[in-house]
Amino acid sequence: RRSHPSERSGDEAHPVCSQDTTNENDDNTATGFIDTAAFRNTTADNCSRNVERLNTSDPADWTVAYQTFCSEHFQCSDSGSCHLPHDQLLTFAGAGDNTVLQLSRQRYPFNSDADKAGLVRVTRFHVDKDGSQIIDKTFGENGFLALYPNQMDTLLPENVMPIAQVMTQSEVVTLYPSATDGDMLLARFPLNGEKNYDITNISRTAGRPFFISFDKVNHQYGIWTHQHIADSHGEFQDIVRHYQPWFNQSEPEMVAEYNLTGSGFVDAPIIGLGLNNQNLYVARKNNTDLVVERLDLLTHQLDDRHATMENALESVTLDESKINYTLYAKDNHLVMVPRDATFAFDQSNRFRVLKAEWPEYTGGCTIWRSEKLRSTRN
């Protein structure tokens, strides 16, 4: 029987070992494991000679380590997937139904070589009618998909939530800020059985990116940005641009530009954008109001319809952080979702805005929590 292989402190010269490396009878049988990928210069000098050695940068060994760690030490409920130490949250993704995907990446803080090949795990949850999350154990293999990068020269950024993400039937696409000032990274995580994910460097766009759209008819992605600039007369304008990115080239193509000069709320900064059919929704907030405007993408005109916080399902004060919000339209409602959360319906068709976390350093079970709902009539 293997014991719980929780980590104790270490460095490159002193690898992490199991806390208990012998069984109750002390007959020198192996009762723990050492992860040889966790440290660059791994030796077993300070570990029992009988401790099993696993290289978790290898898919087969990672699976053994995962099953050992989770079955022996963490008995997670149906609402919480188990995570190894240094498993880092990447993002959440929802499809506008009662399904939520959770993406996490296995990190190796003391071994940069292994860190480049860190596994990305995709886990699927269903949101029950009471709002609880139930892991889909039939998803992928062993209840999750295991993905590895196609190439090692471009890596996912560290400790950074994506700017935006979108989920389709076959993949999750996320947009990250790049280490290069102004540039971005476009990552594509397949859901159709492929084993590798792709990362593309793309050049900076004019304005601040807010969200990614997906055109089901043309199978094209779009990056939507906002820029607050002064014209030749010193008057400020709000410009929204639609870019089309390509996964095989670095320069996104600008396909449309929209001027929001007809807004009656130019003093309220834009904090969120969203798309539904041929309408672009713009969320603005000042010290007293939250306003949602609607622009017709065909005519490039703002209509005279707008919603204020008095129409919201829950009148709550938004925080003053610089977090982007994406507006999701569903059943004549708009829901504001911050970039570090996801949006889903439960089985009773009620809105849910969800976040999750787990002890990243020691590993453990997913802990979900619901966020305040910021919603208004569409």
Side-chain angles (χ1 to χ4, degrees), residues 158-197:
E158 297 183 17
N159 302 311
V160 176
M161 291 295 291
I163 299 169
Q165 62 278 323
V166 64
M167 174 182 167
T168 72
Q169 289 187 337
S170 61
E171 58 195 13
V172 174
V173 172
T174 59
L175 184 68
Y176 290 91
S178 172
T180 304
D181 185 33
D183 290 349
M184 294 176 291
L185 298 175
L186 197 64
R188 179 166 54 181
F189 303 96
L191 306 175
N192 56 3
E194 296 179 34
K195 297 298 184 182
N196 299 101
Y197 62 89

Side-chain angles (χ1 to χ4, degrees), residues 248-260:
N248 57 356
Q249 63 187 53
S250 62
E251 194 72 31
E253 176 187 358
M254 192 183 78
V255 295
E257 181 176 289
Y258 305 93
N259 193 322
L260 307 183

Side-chain angles (χ1 to χ4, degrees), residues 16 33 43 52 54 57 59 70 84 113 125 145 161 164 193 292 311 314-315 326 354 358:
V16 62
F33 71 81
T43 64
E52 184 175 4
L54 297 173
S57 64
C70 295
L84 286 175
D113 292 334
F125 294 84
L145 296 178
M161 291 295 291
V292 179
N311 305 120
E314 279 195 45
S315 294
T326 300
L354 305 168
W358 57 84

